[in-house]
Amino acid sequence: MEPDEVRELRESIQHDLLTIMRPKQQTTSHAQPHQPRQLLANKLNGGSLRVKFEAGEEKRLALLAKPLTMDSLNNQVVQFFGQKMDMYFYNSELKHLQPISTGQELELAQATFDCMTHVAYMRIVLSPDTSAFGPSPSPSSSRRLSP
């Protein structure tokens, strides 16, 4: 093949590839309004955070100001469920419950959530406050859920 033929062939292939790829890019952006990158940008840039509280069968969703504080979470739990409860952040990627009893644990949970690009809200599982009944489990302990 001569250099001109090779160039024409290469340009033709590139044009065909561009033609094939354009419709896919356009339909993908319109078909999936909540793409992972968009969710991550919304989480990092927004001044608020969607939090889903789950206590047994009862579930409540709240929009809380960032950065989260233990006081704001505890107040929301009392408002929704009428009592203070132990809180656990649910990491859906690891199927893992991480206790939230200190500000440091809350910051870690929020940082973990911010890295989860496919999740739209922070999930907090609640259980009755055990501090009234005796010593609570070690804050560093965590639980794993079976699938």
Side-chain angles (χ1 to χ4, degrees):
M1 277 190 182
E2 294 182 27
D4 288 336
E5 290 176 359
V6 171
R7 185 178 52 83
E8 286 178 21
L9 182 61
R10 184 178 59 225
E11 287 175 1
S12 173
I13 291 172
Q14 288 176 339
H15 181 276
D16 291 344
L17 287 172
L18 287 173
T19 305
I20 291 170
M21 294 303 289
R22 275 194 190 123
K24 286 184 180 180
Q25 290 174 346
Q26 290 173 351
T27 56
T28 302
S29 65
H30 295 297
Q32 299 174 347
H34 295 291
Q35 294 176 340
R37 287 184 186 165
Q38 186 178 12
L39 283 173
L40 180 61
N42 290 344
K43 282 196 264 187
L44 296 177
N45 294 332
S48 58
L49 178 68
R50 292 176 55 179
V51 180
K52 183 177 186 179
F53 295 96
E54 299 181 10
E57 298 294 319
E58 193 171 352
K59 297 174 181 152
R60 303 282 179 98
L61 193 61
L63 191 60
L64 300 175
K66 279 177 126 180
L68 292 178
T69 63
M70 287 302 294
D71 287 338
S72 66
L73 280 181
N74 283 323
N75 290 340
Q76 194 65 53
V77 168
V78 170
Q79 181 181 352
F80 281 159
F81 302 100
Q83 64 179 340
K84 186 177 175 189
M85 302 177 107
D86 289 334
M87 295 181 279
Y88 300 88
F89 166 66
Y90 180 71
N91 184 334
S92 60
E93 291 176 348
L94 300 175
K95 307 283 189 266
H96 175 80
L97 287 175
Q98 173 185 336
I100 303 174
S101 57
T102 66
Q104 187 176 12
E105 290 173 343
L106 177 59
E107 288 175 15
L108 178 62
Q110 188 172 342
T112 303
F113 170 73
D114 285 341
C115 293
M116 298 167 66
T117 59
H118 65 283
V119 181
Y121 54 83
M122 186 174 185
R123 184 175 168 191
I124 296 182
V125 179
L126 304 168
S127 67
D129 186 9
T130 56
S131 63
F133 304 109
S136 60
S138 168
S140 62
S141 68
S142 60
R143 300 188 322 197
R144 196 175 268 287
L145 293 180
S146 58

